[in-house]
Amino acid sequence: MEIVLNGVISGLVLAILVGPVFFTLLQTSIERGFLSGVFVAIGISVSDSLYIALSYLGLSGLFNTPQFQVYLSYIGGFIIFCFGVYYLFIKSRKKIDFGNIEHVKERSPYRLMAKGFIINGFNPMVLIFWIGTISVATGELGYTTNTKAITFLATIVVTVFTTDILKAKLADKLRVVLTPAIVKFMNIILGVVMLSLGVKLLYSAQLGVV
């Protein structure tokens, strides 16, 4: 029970962090509906699970090397920067018609999951979080057996996924009181956040510091 409780607490800490993933989830749910937000949340959870698996399998030593972090920052920074450009200069200028919501919803679930996977997975801070979490789990908390560690980490992922679903549901409900102007403003905010993070990651990679 203590393992699950610690996992829930750690998951809630990760869930309340505000960043590109948070704004992406809200923006998608508002514009395309609750189910679309769920698919983005699935992509986020898949990328988290992949990092956990790789880190737990003993690849954290490779992930912790400065060279790997620099390469990941270059790749992630470029991808997130491109997303930022799209939302700030293209998406924010598109006309939003809530009266034609069925058309707005049309998008492949695989594309939505890929969207969540890419934005979450190519952020080096996410990788660093999971490496740190696994270190704490096996060190300070003493979860040295596979059962304890997997239970702890799985609880975190489930907690984050559950809160993401709640965020998507809340955003979907808010759509009835939002105007196209507000949605446009949210796309601008999302673009600015992603552009800022992309520039920061590219700058950090240039300096060799993540």
Side-chain angles (χ1 to χ4, degrees), residues 6-73:
N6 287 333
V8 170
I9 293 173
S10 300
L12 290 175
V13 170
L14 179 59
I16 63 176
L17 296 178
V18 177
V21 171
F22 174 81
F23 286 108
T24 299
L25 186 62
L26 293 187
Q27 179 268 345
T28 302
S29 300
I30 288 173
E31 287 197 12
R32 299 184 178 277
F34 171 65
L35 188 57
S36 294
V38 171
F39 286 125
V40 172
I42 292 174
I44 294 170
S45 294
V46 170
S47 67
D48 283 337
S49 300
L50 177 62
Y51 273 150
I52 290 172
L54 293 176
S55 299
Y56 195 71
L57 288 173
L59 298 181
S60 58
L62 170 64
F63 293 157
N64 273 321
T65 60
Q67 188 176 23
F68 180 87
Q69 292 293 332
V70 168
Y71 286 146
L72 185 61
S73 292

Side-chain angles (χ1 to χ4, degrees), residues 2 11 18 28-29 35 37-38 45 59 62 78 88 98 115 119 132 146 149 151 158-160 167 174 192 201 209:
E2 178 187 354
V18 177
T28 302
S29 300
L35 188 57
V38 171
S45 294
L59 298 181
L62 170 64
F78 176 74
L88 185 59
F98 289 124
K115 181 180 180 181
I119 293 175
N146 287 338
T151 299
V158 171
T159 301
V160 173
K167 293 173 190 174
L174 287 175
V192 170
L201 290 176
V209 178

Side-chain angles (χ1 to χ4, degrees), residues 86-121:
Y86 171 74
Y87 279 102
L88 185 59
F89 298 106
I90 300 176
K91 185 69 172 178
S92 64
R93 296 183 180 182
K94 288 186 177 180
K95 183 179 179 181
I96 302 297
D97 182 11
F98 289 124
N100 193 19
I101 194 62
E102 292 303 320
H103 173 71
V104 173
K105 285 183 179 179
E106 291 176 3
R107 174 165 287 190
S108 167
Y110 300 106
R111 289 181 60 187
L112 292 167
M113 286 188 283
K115 181 180 180 181
F117 182 93
I118 290 172
I119 293 175
N120 188 68

